[in-house]
Amino acid sequence: MANEKIYVTQEGLDELERELYQLIHVTRKEVIVELQEARAQGDLSENADYDAAREHQRVVEERIHELEAMIKKSELIKETETLAGEEKTVKLASTVRFLDLSENMENTFTIVGSVEADPLNGKLSNNTPLAEAMIGHKAGDIVTVKRVEVPYDVEILEIK
């Protein structure tokens, strides 16, 4: 993930920034209090509370660093309007209703960047085989999802 862009929606970027703010302005201060209280107990060499507070501090600082890097590398997914007469194609931020032809099951997902992916809530990473197969195609197209196990076909029913 050296210099690659991280694609996020405005909602996803706002969430990353909220989490970063919370960690810097609230959680970091709570960890300092935890450390102070643990130090007040005396001997630090056998102080489990102090060790736990230091570990909590390490985890918080790592997450702060991770979030700052993600925000710095983030590129906003812009919703582009389709011109009159132009057919919509699947792209980042598209909501796609499709039919899995192998199981005859209909499903709907919004394609988002990997940071926002949450399949249980209808958000599919653009890096998944399913999203990769659909990107660039239009409603009515049947595409093959390439998997290591068994490839399968889906029909794109609707793009929003």
Side-chain angles (χ1 to χ4, degrees), residues 7-14 75-77 93 111-113 116:
Y7 296 100
V8 294
T9 60
Q10 185 62 57
E11 177 185 342
L13 182 58
D14 292 346
E75 186 166 309
L76 220 48
I77 298 170
I111 299 176
V112 297
E116 292 180 79

Side-chain angles (χ1 to χ4, degrees), residues 88-142:
K88 278 188 177 180
T89 58
V90 178
K91 56 187 157 277
L92 276 166
S94 292
T95 298
V96 183
R97 188 171 59 88
F98 62 95
L99 179 65
D100 180 334
L101 297 173
S102 65
E103 297 180 6
N104 200 30
M105 277 183 64
E106 197 175 295
N107 211 328
T108 302
F109 280 109
T110 299
I111 299 176
V112 297
S114 58
V115 170
E116 292 180 79
D118 184 0
L120 297 177
N121 289 306
K123 294 181 178 182
L124 188 66
S125 168
N126 64 311
N127 295 326
T128 62
L130 177 58
E132 287 176 347
M134 288 193 284
I135 289 176
H137 290 275
K138 58 188 182 305
D141 286 355
I142 294 176

Side-chain angles (χ1 to χ4, degrees), residues 13-155:
L13 182 58
D14 292 346
E15 184 57 38
L16 291 174
E17 289 173 342
R18 267 192 298 279
E19 182 182 354
L20 180 61
Y21 182 90
Q22 174 74 19
L23 287 172
I24 290 173
H25 298 285
V26 178
T27 308
R28 198 182 247 171
K29 291 176 183 175
E30 292 170 354
V31 170
I32 290 170
V33 170
E34 288 174 21
L35 284 167
Q36 290 170 339
E37 289 172 355
R39 278 192 194 114
Q41 295 175 14
D43 184 11
L44 298 181
S45 64
E46 295 183 23
N47 187 330
D49 289 342
Y50 181 74
D51 292 342
R54 292 286 299 172
E55 176 62 15
H56 189 200
Q57 181 182 39
R58 183 190 66 74
V59 169
V60 167
E61 293 304 321
E62 278 182 8
R63 184 62 179 160
I64 288 171
H65 180 70
E66 183 180 272
L67 288 168
E68 288 172 338
M70 288 190 315
I71 290 168
K72 184 177 179 181
K73 294 177 187 177
S74 68
E75 186 166 309
L76 220 48
I77 298 170
K78 297 180 180 108
E79 290 192 37
T80 55
E81 289 190 27
T82 305
L83 300 172
E86 182 183 21
E87 285 194 74
K88 278 188 177 180
T89 58
V90 178
K91 56 187 157 277
L92 276 166
S94 292
T95 298
V96 183
R97 188 171 59 88
F98 62 95
L99 179 65
D100 180 334
L101 297 173
S102 65
E103 297 180 6
N104 200 30
M105 277 183 64
E106 197 175 295
N107 211 328
T108 302
F109 280 109
T110 299
I111 299 176
V112 297
S114 58
V115 170
E116 292 180 79
D118 184 0
L120 297 177
N121 289 306
K123 294 181 178 182
L124 188 66
S125 168
N126 64 311
N127 295 326
T128 62
L130 177 58
E132 287 176 347
M134 288 193 284
I135 289 176
H137 290 275
K138 58 188 182 305
D141 286 355
I142 294 176
V143 297
T144 300
V145 180
K146 294 175 175 68
R147 297 190 317 183
V148 176
E149 307 85 45
V150 178
Y152 64 97
D153 292 334
V154 298
E155 181 180 358

